[in-house]
């Protein structure tokens, strides 16, 4: 969950997060944590939210953020639970 929050203010594409993800993996972070970080950077970055706010209504943007955050956190926990399959 913390990885999702940390990734939000960053602005990078998915390829820009790969070196960070590799460093996290080498330090022993779980696969789910790394995925949560990478997804939050690309889906919930502040510049993305500013651009979306110009195109959609505030209520829709709010629900987009809520659903995406819930999904990212769920995926993170799921992949951390299944971490033994990936190592």
């Amino acid at each position: 969950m913390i990885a999702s929050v940390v990734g939000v203010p960053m602005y990078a594409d998915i390829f820009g997060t790969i070196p960070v993800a590799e460093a996290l993996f080498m330090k022993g972070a779980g696969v789910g944590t790394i995925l949560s970080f990478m997804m939050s950077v690309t889906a919930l970055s502040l510049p993305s939210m500013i651009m979306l706010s110009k195109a959609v209504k505030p209520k829709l943007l709010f629900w987009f953020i809520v659903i995406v955050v819930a999904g990212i956190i769920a995926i993170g926990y799921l992949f951390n639970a299944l971490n033994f399959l990936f190592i």
Side-chain angles (χ1 to χ4, degrees):
M1 186 166 138
I2 294 172
S4 301
V5 175
V6 169
V8 171
M10 295 180 66
Y11 180 65
D13 60 354
I14 194 67
F15 298 113
T17 62
I18 291 175
V20 178
E22 183 180 12
L24 289 171
F25 185 74
M26 293 300 168
K27 292 290 184 180
V31 174
T33 305
I34 296 168
L35 283 174
S36 293
F37 171 74
M38 292 176 73
M39 289 189 293
S40 68
V41 167
T42 57
L44 298 172
S45 67
L46 189 59
S48 297
M49 292 301 108
I50 291 170
M51 287 187 286
L52 277 174
S53 70
K54 305 291 184 194
V56 299
K57 295 179 181 178
K59 185 176 179 182
L60 180 61
L61 183 61
F62 169 77
W63 284 110
F64 170 78
I65 292 169
V66 167
I67 291 169
V68 170
V69 167
I72 287 173
I73 291 170
I75 291 294
Y77 280 123
L78 175 69
F79 274 81
N80 276 342
L82 299 174
N83 201 25
F84 65 92
L85 295 174
F86 304 110
I87 297 178

